[in-house]
Amino acid sequence: MIKAASLFVHYGQHAALQNISIHIQPGEIYCLLGANGAGKTTLINTLLGFVQPSQGEVFINTYHVTQQAMQAKRLIAYIPEQVNLYPTLTGLENLAYFAKLATGESLLHPELLRLLSKSGLQLEACTRPVSTYSKGMRQKVGIAIALAKKAKALLLDEPTSGLDPSAAKEFSDLLTESSQSGVAVLTTTHDLFHAKQTGTRIGIMRQGQLIQECVSSSITYESLQTLYLEQMRVCA
């Protein structure tokens, strides 16, 4: 579903991505770890079509992200670290607007409420201005937009950064539920616990390279922490 093949991205003499190959199947949650500047966000932006590869190819399902951009984008939902919504509009109004923008269809009020409820937003919050929302609540509206779009590939850049443990757990549960419905999920994170608890596979990036991959169920949290710190120590 989400695929990068021998991917390179150069900015002048700087190699932001070097020979990245990754394949995320429907139902998988791939958690990508790495220090700031490791290339995680560049990879996300390349998969979204915002950055053009210097070499290699990227696909969403069977669609080439560069050559079949519109078809690929229809399958993708993107949730950044800070979900940008209209602060004076309610959660319900934001969802109605962005869902129509994404699908071209106007969803009925009951369906909008169902999507927000499924994303974990409390009913009383749906009709409040987003300016009163916490970060976790804004993230839930982002999930509801992805659900409305019926996205098959979910790309997230540091989605749990700044969330309290309870909100992070709720968000992780939502990702797991999405994956169980066949969505392929790629999320970047600095949170090793989140990666271990949520991911089916974990990758570690350093200086534009994917240097380590493991299956989450085959590694303990302590072993993951040791492995990650060892890899970060190499580049320190």
Side-chain angles (χ1 to χ4, degrees):
M1 177 57 73
I2 302 172
K3 184 178 181 181
S6 303
L7 183 64
F8 289 79
V9 171
H10 291 94
Y11 298 118
Q13 297 299 312
H14 174 65
L17 296 178
Q18 302 183 60
N19 199 25
I20 300 290
S21 291
I22 189 171
H23 192 185
I24 305 167
Q25 300 283 2
E28 279 195 296
I29 300 177
Y30 193 105
C31 292
L32 196 57
L33 299 168
N36 292 333
K40 304 186 304 295
T41 298
T42 300
L43 177 58
I44 292 283
N45 286 336
T46 306
L47 289 166
L48 288 167
F50 298 156
V51 172
Q52 296 299 308
S54 305
Q55 186 178 326
E57 298 178 303
V58 287
F59 298 88
I60 301 296
N61 201 1
T62 58
Y63 297 116
H64 193 286
V65 168
T66 302
Q67 298 172 7
Q68 299 168 292
M70 290 307 298
Q71 294 96 319
K73 282 179 168 55
R74 290 191 185 101
L75 299 177
I76 301 172
Y78 170 57
I79 300 180
E81 182 177 351
Q82 297 290 340
V83 176
N84 292 316
L85 302 169
Y86 289 102
T88 57
L89 299 182
T90 66
L92 199 65
E93 290 166 338
N94 268 282
L95 175 57
Y97 173 75
F98 285 108
K100 185 172 183 178
L101 201 63
T103 66
E105 300 177 2
S106 296
L107 298 181
L108 297 176
H109 187 268
E111 177 63 6
L112 293 170
L113 286 176
R114 186 189 72 81
L115 291 170
L116 287 169
S117 176
K118 188 172 182 180
S119 74
L121 194 69
Q122 296 296 316
L123 184 61
E124 60 84 19
C126 295
T127 53
R128 278 173 29 208
V130 163
S131 60
T132 67
Y133 282 18
S134 66
K135 178 182 177 181
M137 293 166 72
R138 293 195 301 273
Q139 297 285 41
K140 289 174 182 178
V141 177
I143 287 284
I145 294 168
L147 292 173
K149 191 177 180 181
K150 297 182 174 141
K152 298 301 182 184
L154 188 54
L155 306 177
L156 307 102
D157 199 0
E158 302 287 351
T160 59
S161 175
L163 296 183
D164 63 56
S166 176
K169 172 66 165 58
E170 286 183 2
F171 193 80
S172 294
D173 290 345
L174 288 171
L175 291 189
T176 300
E177 186 175 338
S178 294
S179 71
Q180 289 170 347
S181 66
V183 176
V185 180
L186 172 62
T187 177
T188 71
T189 183
H190 289 291
D191 186 344
L192 273 67
F193 183 78
H194 166 71
K196 167 60 183 164
Q197 293 298 110
T198 308
T200 52
R201 282 195 292 150
I202 300 168
I204 300 175
M205 287 191 71
R206 186 183 71 213
Q207 296 176 348
Q209 300 180 66
L210 184 61
I211 56 172
Q212 191 85 40
E213 283 187 299
C214 62
V215 176
S216 182
S217 60
S218 69
I219 191 169
T220 65
Y221 172 75
E222 291 75 15
S223 297
L224 176 62
Q225 185 177 47
T226 299
L227 178 65
Y228 180 74
L229 292 175
E230 285 175 351
Q231 295 294 354
M232 293 305 102
R233 202 173 292 122
V234 170
C235 65

